[in-house]
């Protein structure tokens, strides 16, 4: 007899894994990698349009396998539902920060430029997730530069320059 979820909390529910089910963990990753591998290459470029769907698909498959195998489950700490003093009643609205940041990028990227817009997005996102200024400010300074460098040098995709141009 197979132990129930209550008897063995590491056992995944049947809705997640079924034998022969391609929709299980990693199924979306496999579909993304397969779809990406079917994209045509671009002549003269080492990295074509197939690279990122295959990279994301591989990561999703790896994460799905880790979930299925229960890797990392022992690191989880059970959450205790308690009111934390000092949190406002609007604390739950921070779920709206990512969509708000995407809308901000849509409207601010052209006039402000990628570097300044990404700096503000990373800074606001880090603070919304509870990071201290000691971590949020250096992250907001370095992350946009790395992303811009990857797009500019590796992918050769121009990003909006705006008020603050890239140093390269």
């Amino acid at each position: 007899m197979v132990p129930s979820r209550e008897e063995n909390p590491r056992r995944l529910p049947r809705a997640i894994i079924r034998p022969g089910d391609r929709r299980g963990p990693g199924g979306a990753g496999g579909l993304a990698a397969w779809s990406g591998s079917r994209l045509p290459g671009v002549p003269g470029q080492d990295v074509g349009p197939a690279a990122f769907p295959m990279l994301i698909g591989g990561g999703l498959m790896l994460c799905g396998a880790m979930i299925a195998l229960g890797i990392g489950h022992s690191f989880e700490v059970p959450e205790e539902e308690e009111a934390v003093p000092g949190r406002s009643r609007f604390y739950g609205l921070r779920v709206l920060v990512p969509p708000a940041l995407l809308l901000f990028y849509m409207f601010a990227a052209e006039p402000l430029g990628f570097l300044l817009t990404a700096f503000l997005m990373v800074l606001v996102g880090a603070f919304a997730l509870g990071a201290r200024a000691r971590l949020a400010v250096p992250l907001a300074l370095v992350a946009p530069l790395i992303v811009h460098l990857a797009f500019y040098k590796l992918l050769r995709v121009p990003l909006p320059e705006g008020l603050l141009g890239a140093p390269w």
Side-chain angles (χ1 to χ4, degrees):
M1 183 173 148
V2 177
S4 68
R5 180 125 173 99
E6 290 79 28
E7 295 169 7
N8 184 1
R10 291 186 64 144
R11 182 179 166 272
L12 293 173
R14 283 188 168 273
I16 294 178
I17 295 180
R18 284 182 233 147
D21 190 356
R22 288 186 287 250
R23 297 172 298 160
L31 183 62
W34 176 76
S35 299
S37 70
R38 298 181 49 103
L39 293 173
V42 177
Q45 288 189 356
D46 295 335
V47 179
F52 285 105
M54 290 176 61
L55 180 68
I56 298 297
L60 285 171
M61 287 190 300
L62 179 65
C63 290
M66 290 172 64
I67 290 170
L69 297 173
I71 296 173
H73 181 72
S74 61
F75 298 120
E76 295 178 12
V77 178
E79 290 187 32
E80 296 179 15
E81 294 286 333
E82 61 182 57
V84 177
R87 285 190 181 165
S88 73
R89 59 184 176 179
F90 300 111
Y91 183 74
L93 292 178
R94 68 186 182 147
V95 72
L96 298 175
V97 170
L101 289 175
L102 288 174
L103 286 172
F104 172 71
Y105 183 82
M106 279 177 34
F107 295 114
E110 286 296 326
L112 296 180
F114 174 80
L115 290 176
L116 191 56
T117 305
F119 168 80
L120 294 171
M121 288 177 62
V122 172
L123 190 67
V124 169
F127 282 137
L129 292 173
R132 299 189 190 282
R134 186 175 175 181
L135 174 67
V137 172
L139 182 67
L141 286 171
V142 172
L145 290 172
I146 293 172
V147 170
H148 192 284
L149 185 65
F151 272 85
Y152 185 77
K153 294 287 186 179
L154 178 67
L155 300 173
R156 297 182 185 142
V157 173
L159 293 172
E161 203 164 313
L163 301 174
L164 185 61
W168 37 83

